[in-house]
């Protein structure tokens, strides 16, 4: 297997981008990544997206994006794994380059959600759950996460306010990220006063959807020109695993087994342990998912995830900085794009380009993208 | 890059399968492939599907299928490239195994189309075209192909009846395939009398949609046990290429440039030429596509594709047998599953298991799956 490096990254702001179409969003991020890599051509384009078929009446995003960005005739197709669609496109690009089938690959995640009314988006997001056993019973995604959070609080004795630190940290880190949706600091007090959405999840526990795209260029490490300059970011580890699609089928709904399994693969491939990870872009779609991710990936003991937030260990200066550019909570969560935003942000940190929220001496970073209620989890470890 | 072999295949009948859900279809084909391979576990599941998000209100098919077939915790995600979604799942599995990331992979294509009313399916199929530049103007998929066929007849002087042989051959070959949708022979006379859909495409030029699933198991060649018995089918060549998504952007709409490019890659990788191909499962969604495919892949000179049908060269006994198990026309076209049916059928031929429509001494076979109006084309060459 060939070692693979990331030589270019690009992203758009996450926002309600009424002036940008689906193809323009994907194009803007992709062309920025190509420019960053100093390339004008790639062999393959893999597009991560969840819901364009219903939200934008457009499927076939491989050919659609490749054509728009001037990569006509390249290989191209679309990967989907609900909210982990972005990481699926990155893993596809990694396997394509590692296999030798492809020498230069573009992975781009894109989602254009604000073309659809909010109630339709809620239904479309529910297609990540089990249509017959969950969505058909009226369970929305926030409701599913509320069930998990309520169970977790019951099992381990946490109070709702113990989760505030995850959201406060995310909003603080987003202040310096020009691509983040929110530039509004919040406090434990404003968190406590936020309107309830699905008890116990309030507005400040939940990430905001939005429009956006993020992209990266992958090449074999041995073809990176020494003249490229700057730090070369290597894909050191990759792992993917699933769990039941419906949470009622799990014996332990508060344990992200797929996260445990996928990071185990990535750790082993990279030859590192949780102690070696300098920053962790986790999937804080809801604050409960941040806590569960820290536990399943070996950063906290089981049932003790919120303690890392209470102790300040998730801050930029802490033991394991998370959501360093705002995370899903404050950078925003354009669902199929999120996994690629996480990769872009880890690359920024490792290159020392995370202006305003740089983790000092960051050499190894991890990104983990979650699809469904923990039913599809893809983990990547990058290093310089 | 590791050489990859196919050690198991499975499929369901193509039909209006009212008694089978989306997950049951994918499960039936997948479990048949696992049984054929003698495996009870795979590392990864890649699901090719086009339109389940709208037709079945179900996305996230990786976790959904993996869970259903007992492959909980395996890697799994969904690939989409319109009607070439099936081949995209196969190519993903190939790259996953070739790269070393995965040792055993299941590729399964599935489509459950008859849950939606016909007019909605027409709209959903149009999401493979350009939403703004084609579908939004009212162009359906059959209309786009009718424009190409009309142009081709004008350029090269063919008459409509010259295309009859493609459909007659497909229906004849389907007679012996228990998984085919149609077991009704047609003649040049019945072809000529078929009702017009979009002039010049009539009912006998067009493939029928349907419900169905087909699957294959891929492993590294060097791990195939010598005790496995039977013929070992090797993936000798793979190639993928795109063209403009909208046909008005092409200078030559009657030339499948993406087919030419993708088969060129596959031929080179396999070290073969068109003369070495013993059978060709082509993408005869419409009879014009059969003619254009024969030309772009080097079996006929440009503008002379229909001559192969007129001369009987596409028959089982001819120079280049096509649609040997019925093709899209008569086996049926459950869109995201079709590319995997093609792979399964080539494997049947190479193993000598194509009962009733066996190509004698078949040693090298090609499958080519087309997405959109020739905008995404993926080619595989298999050999024993």
């Amino acid at each position: 297997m060939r070692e693979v490096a990331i030589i270019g990254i690009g992203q758009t702001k996450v926002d309600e981008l009424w002036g940008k179409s689906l193809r323009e969003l994907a194009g803007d991020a992709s062309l920025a990544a190509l420019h960053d890599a100093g390339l004008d051509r790639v062999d393959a384009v893999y597009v991560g997206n969840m819901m364009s078929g219903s939200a934008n009446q457009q499927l076939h995003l491989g050919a659609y994006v490749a054509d728009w960005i001037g990569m006509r005739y390249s290989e191209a197709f679309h990967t989907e794994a609900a909210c982990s669609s972005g990481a699926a496109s990155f893993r596809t690009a990694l396997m394509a380059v590692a296999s030798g089938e492809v020498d230069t690959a573009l992975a781009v995640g894109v989602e254009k959600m604000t073309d659809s009314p909010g109630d339709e988006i809620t239904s479309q997001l529910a297609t990540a759950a089990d249509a017959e056993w969950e969505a058909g019973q009226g369970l929305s995604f926030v409701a599913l996460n509320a069930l998990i959070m309520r169970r977790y609080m019951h099992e381990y004795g946490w109070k709702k306010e113990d989760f505030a630190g995850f959201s406060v940290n995310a909003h603080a880190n987003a202040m310096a990220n020009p691509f983040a949706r929110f530039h509004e600091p919040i406090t434990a007090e404003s968190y406590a006063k936020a309107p309830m959405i699905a008890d116990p999840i309030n507005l400040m526990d939940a990430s905001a959807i939005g429009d956006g795209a993020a992209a990266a260029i992958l090449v074999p490490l041995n073809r990176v020109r020494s003249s490229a300059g700057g730090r070369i970011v290597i894909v050191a580890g990759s792992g993917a695993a699933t769990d039941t699609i419906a949470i009622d089928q799990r014996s332990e709904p508060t344990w992200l087994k797929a996260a445990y399994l996928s990071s185990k693969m990535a750790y082993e491939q990279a030859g590192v342990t949780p102690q070696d990870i300098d920053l962790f872009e986790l999937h804080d779609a809801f604050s409960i998912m941040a806590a569960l991710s820290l536990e399943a990936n070996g950063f906290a003991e089981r049932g003790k995830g919120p303690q890392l937030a209470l102790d300040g260990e998730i801050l930029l200066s802490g033991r394991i900085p998370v959501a360093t550019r705002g995370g899903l909570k404050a950078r925003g969560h354009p669902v199929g794009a999120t996994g690629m935003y996480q990769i872009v942000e880890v690359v920024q940190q490792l290159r020392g380009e995370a202006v305003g929220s740089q983790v000092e001496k960051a050499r190894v970073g991890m990104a983990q993208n979650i699809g469904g209620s923990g039913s599809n989890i893809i983990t990547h470890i990058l290093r310089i």
Side-chain angles (χ1 to χ4, degrees), chain A residues 339-382:
Chain A
M340 288 307 305
Y341 275 98
Q342 294 176 313
I343 294 288
V344 163
E345 291 160 356
V346 172
V347 171
Q348 286 184 318
Q349 289 286 1
L350 299 183
R351 283 183 179 176
E353 296 171 357
V355 179
S357 62
Q358 180 67 48
V359 174
E360 293 301 317
K361 297 180 185 166
R363 298 189 60 83
V364 183
M366 185 159 94
Q368 186 173 71
N369 198 192
I370 303 183
S373 314
S375 44
N376 207 341
I377 305 189
I378 304 175
T379 308
H380 286 98
I381 296 173
L382 312 182

Side-chain angles (χ1 to χ4, degrees), chain A residues 205-229:
Chain A
D205 288 303
S207 58
I209 62 163
D211 306 327
I217 309 285
L218 293 85
V219 299
L221 178 60
N222 62 16
R223 302 214 185 171
V224 178
R225 290 165 302 181
S226 56
S227 62

Side-chain angles (χ1 to χ4, degrees), chain A residues 41-46 66 71 74-77 93 96 102-107:
Chain A
R41 185 82 202 154
V42 289
D43 294 338
V45 177
Y46 304 109
M71 299 300 139
S74 74
E75 165 172 0
F77 58 83
V102 160
D103 276 336
T104 50
L106 167 70

Side-chain angles (χ1 to χ4, degrees), chain A residues 205-293:
Chain A
D205 288 303
S207 58
I209 62 163
D211 306 327
I217 309 285
L218 293 85
V219 299
L221 178 60
N222 62 16
R223 302 214 185 171
V224 178
R225 290 165 302 181
S226 56
S227 62
R231 298 174 187 168
I232 297 167
V233 177
I234 296 166
V235 186
S238 178
T242 56
D243 203 334
T244 68
I245 186 162
I247 58 167
D248 72 284
Q249 304 292 306
R250 287 181 214 157
S251 54
E252 301 179 295
T254 60
W255 173 245
L256 293 177
K257 182 160 177 177
Y260 167 77
L261 292 170
S262 72
S263 64
K264 185 165 181 284
M265 287 182 231
Y267 287 140
E268 286 176 5
Q269 204 172 74
V272 300
T273 69
Q275 285 67 44
D276 298 310
I277 305 296
D278 296 318
L279 69 133
F280 177 26
E281 290 304 330
L282 48 67
H283 191 94
D284 54 336
F286 300 96
S287 53
I288 178 65
M289 282 295 139
L292 298 186
S293 298

Side-chain angles (χ1 to χ4, degrees), chain A residues 81-107:
Chain A
C83 295
S84 57
S85 299
S89 73
F90 186 81
R91 182 155 161 89
T92 302
L94 172 67
M95 297 192 299
V97 175
S99 73
E101 282 285 324
V102 160
D103 276 336
T104 50
L106 167 70

Side-chain angles (χ1 to χ4, degrees), chain A residues 152-153 156-159 161-167 254-256 280 282 287-315 319-320 322:
Chain A
Y152 182 82
M153 289 163 65
Y156 297 106
W158 294 105
K159 293 192 289 293
E161 55 263 37
D162 297 327
F163 293 82
F166 292 112
S167 303
T254 60
W255 173 245
L256 293 177
F280 177 26
L282 48 67
S287 53
I288 178 65
M289 282 295 139
L292 298 186
S293 298
L294 288 167
E295 296 173 20
N297 295 299
F299 299 107
E301 285 179 47
R302 193 154 171 183
K304 303 225 171 132
Q307 195 64 45
L308 289 183
L310 290 171
D311 294 346
E313 295 291 9
I314 61 168
L315 303 179
R319 154 70 202 97
I320 182 67
V322 305

Side-chain angles (χ1 to χ4, degrees), chain A residues 4-40:
Chain A
V4 176
I6 301 171
I7 61 164
I9 52 172
Q11 60 186 319
T12 73
K13 189 176 192 315
V14 179
D15 214 330
E16 295 184 25
L17 298 169
W18 301 101
K20 290 282 184 183
S21 69
L22 178 68
R23 77 175 102 212
E24 288 174 308
L25 288 173
D28 289 359
S30 299
L31 295 174
L34 284 160
H35 179 76
D36 187 43
L39 290 182
D40 57 11

Side-chain angles (χ1 to χ4, degrees), chain A residues 61-77:
Chain A
L61 295 195
Y64 176 82
V65 172
D67 188 12
W68 179 249
I69 64 173
M71 299 300 139
R72 196 178 287 182
Y73 311 130
S74 74
E75 165 172 0
F77 58 83

